[in-house]
Amino acid sequence: MAENTTTSSVSAPLSVIIIGCGRVAEKHLKAISKLKGLELKAVVDTNPDSAKRLLGSVKGFAGVKQYSDYKTAIDEVKPSIVSVTVPSGLHFQIAKYAMEHGSNLLLEKPMTMSVSEAREIFELSGKTGLKIAMGHIYRYLPIVGLIKEDIAEGKFGKVTHGSIYVRWGHGEDYYQSAAWRGTWKSDGGALMNQTIHAIDLLVWLMGSEPEEASAMIAKRIRNIEAEDLGMAVLRLENGALAQIEGTTATIPSKHTAEFSVFCENAQLTMGLDSGKPHIAVYGVKPNGKTKKLNGYYIRKQFKTGGLFSYKCALNPHLGIYKDLCDSVIENKNPIADAYAGFSSVDTLLGIYKSAKEGHPVSLPLKDDFNSVDMTGFFD
Ligand SMILES: NC(=O)c1ccc[n+]([C@@H]2O[C@H](COP(=O)([O-])OP(=O)(O)OC[C@H]3O[C@@H](n4cnc5c(N)ncnc54)[C@H](O)[C@@H]3O)[C@@H](O)[C@H]2O)c1
């Protein structure tokens, strides 16, 4: 997306409201509590108990105003930033209303549930100059940005392929905790909810756009409408292939996510294993010998981002809020911007379409596709 070159007249602290006071909202609140440049003005939830519980979960927010209707909150507070943390099927209507009323967004993933809605939100951001930082947490983990830069500069030669797995087990208790979970209309399955931001990361690191998707999805053990297991292969415009596995049908106490990128002269793997980050980066020196580059990246990250960047490993939303705040004030694009939101929805829905139709599909999708178009797939 092209940079808007006009100078911003906005200065910190920026006012924020959070719409949707459930599980992820707590990470948002913790991040806001750690940043001086943000001021929480209100929280919104159709369930007042959820709003109250959220405000009580972090010290210092007990007196913040509560609303039950997002339109009233946006109209009255006129916040600089609206954080959209409602069920995914509601992202579009709230994001659109907030931008039409002048607010920048921290928009949770997936941006929307259909390609046409994602395009509309992306285009609205371009037209208004309002910023969108997506809740694509993986882009904000330490070292990831440094690796992105080095791959993009060609330091490791040609990118051959990449792979991710997201084995994010969730039991029936998780799916039964809210009626929207695991439904085609409001959530999608393991790929749309748990894997979309990892797909975004892989494609971003590999530095090219997806042009074709082939996929299969399955429902193995979870009692939900959508998939609990999906596997896909993407062909990128630069010819590289990307392999994807996303599932919630694994043991809930063993959440693991890992991504690898393979280049002519390097192989890079990073991941999270039950919350613990790991990294293994190997490069080939001009003399042909292999060198482990972990220490190099750890030191470089500390020099450029200090302790703050390492705190983002524990709560990446801290990095997203800081990035959004800087982007609004300095009038630049966030790291996970509106285009990332649109493109990842397009790729994910291409994966669903391929699984539904049983053949590879070209990306970007020419016609609209909506997660609800998958209704009845497993019947
Ligand atoms: N980036 C990440 O790492 C991450 C992690 C978890 C969830 N998410 C995303 O965050 C979103 C929320 O997920 P969650 O697990 O927190 O869900 P949740 O069900 O725990 O919370 C959603 C909250 O929204 C409220 N809500 C529903 N309709 C509303 C409305 N019209 N106005 C105001 N509030 C309303 C509900 O009452 C509930 O409290 C989803 O889109 C999900 O994909 C992102």
Side-chain angles (χ1 to χ4, degrees):
M1 186 183 154
E3 289 276 344
N4 186 334
T5 50
T6 53
T7 316
S8 162
S9 56
V10 189
S11 58
L14 303 182
S15 53
V16 187
I17 69 171
I18 297 176
I19 302 179
C21 301
R23 284 167 77 114
V24 80
E26 206 171 308
K27 291 185 178 156
H28 287 243
L29 193 62
K30 282 185 181 146
I32 292 168
S33 75
K34 300 243 157 36
L35 291 166
K36 286 199 181 75
L38 296 171
E39 193 177 353
L40 186 72
K41 291 288 192 185
V43 296
V44 186
D45 203 294
T46 43
N47 179 350
D49 290 343
S50 301
K52 201 167 166 209
R53 187 206 51 78
L54 176 69
L55 291 174
S57 68
V58 181
K59 249 188 169 172
F61 292 109
V64 167
K65 200 159 182 192
Q66 297 178 24
Y67 290 86
S68 57
D69 176 58
Y70 73 86
K71 290 185 179 172
T72 310
I74 291 169
D75 294 351
E76 284 185 16
V77 179
K78 299 182 179 35
S80 285
I81 294 171
V82 167
S83 300
V84 182
T85 53
V86 288
S88 307
L90 295 171
H91 288 184
F92 173 68
Q93 65 184 65
I94 297 180
K96 187 172 177 207
Y97 189 86
M99 293 186 93
E100 285 174 346
H101 290 77
S103 297
N104 302 280
L105 300 179
L106 198 163
L107 179 52
E108 271 304 344
K109 52 76 196 165
M111 176 177 255
T112 64
M113 300 301 286
S114 84
V115 176
S116 60
E117 290 171 351
R119 186 175 288 110
E120 191 174 334
I121 295 298
F122 164 58
E123 288 176 357
L124 199 51
S125 164
K127 241 182 263 165
T128 57
L130 292 163
K131 311 299 176 196
I132 302 179
M134 292 300 307
H136 289 183
I137 50 173
Y138 297 113
R139 287 200 189 196
Y140 292 87
L141 290 173
I143 300 178
V144 163
L146 300 176
I147 285 176
K148 161 75 183 164
E149 268 171 31
D150 286 348
I151 294 174
E153 282 169 14
K155 188 168 170 181
F156 301 128
K158 190 172 180 174
V159 176
T160 59
H161 65 294
S163 89
I164 49 164
Y165 64 73
V166 179
R167 297 170 185 153
W168 219 257
H170 279 303
E172 297 303 331
D173 52 341
Y174 166 83
Y175 283 112
Q176 280 166 18
S177 69
W180 65 278
R181 295 196 194 282
T183 61
W184 289 119
K185 183 169 184 277
S186 304
D187 189 15
L191 291 176
M192 186 66 135
N193 185 324
Q194 281 75 23
T195 315
I196 189 167
H197 37 341
I199 296 174
D200 164 71
L201 175 75
L202 185 65
V203 168
W204 182 63
L205 284 175
M206 291 174 72
S208 183
E209 296 293 310
E211 64 173 20
E212 188 178 313
S214 299
M216 289 189 193
I217 59 172
K219 192 162 67 168
R220 301 299 297 150
I221 50 178
R222 302 298 172 223
N223 184 23
I224 54 175
E225 211 189 348
E227 83 287 356
D228 62 9
L229 172 65
M231 295 192 181
V233 177
L234 304 176
R235 184 189 301 283
L236 307 190
E237 281 171 0
N238 65 5
L241 302 181
Q243 172 181 268
I244 292 151
E245 172 196 331
T247 183
T248 52
T250 45
I251 303 169
S253 59
K254 286 278 163 221
H255 285 176
T256 57
E258 188 173 281
F259 63 86
S260 298
V261 178
F262 301 90
C263 305
E264 246 174 315
N265 297 316
Q267 102 184 21
L268 312 105
T269 296
M270 293 182 75
L272 292 170
D273 194 343
S274 301
K276 287 191 194 126
H278 60 90
I279 169 173
V281 183
Y282 295 94
V284 180
K285 293 198 287 190
N287 65 7
K289 289 206 170 135
T290 304
K291 186 174 179 347
K292 198 168 187 182
L293 298 172
N294 291 12
Y296 162 78
Y297 278 112
I298 290 167
R299 285 190 298 277
K300 189 167 177 190
Q301 182 67 72
F302 191 78
K303 266 191 202 156
T304 50
L307 267 184
F308 180 82
S309 57
Y310 285 104
K311 285 185 183 157
C312 295
L314 300 174
N315 183 2
H317 283 89
L318 193 56
I320 306 181
Y321 273 102
K322 171 85 171 66
D323 181 34
L324 178 57
C325 199
D326 292 348
S327 300
V328 170
I329 290 169
E330 296 163 27
N331 196 23
K332 59 177 191 171
N333 264 359
I335 292 167
D337 62 3
Y339 182 75
F342 160 70
S343 176
S344 57
V345 166
D346 184 73
T347 302
L348 205 289
L349 289 169
I351 287 171
Y352 275 171
K353 191 169 197 273
S354 167
K356 182 179 179 182
E357 296 181 355
H359 58 76
V361 302
S362 296
L363 298 173
L365 291 172
K366 281 192 195 75
D367 300 317
D368 191 21
F369 196 78
N370 191 315
S371 180
V372 287
D373 295 331
M374 297 299 289
T375 304
F377 182 78
F378 291 115
D379 293 349

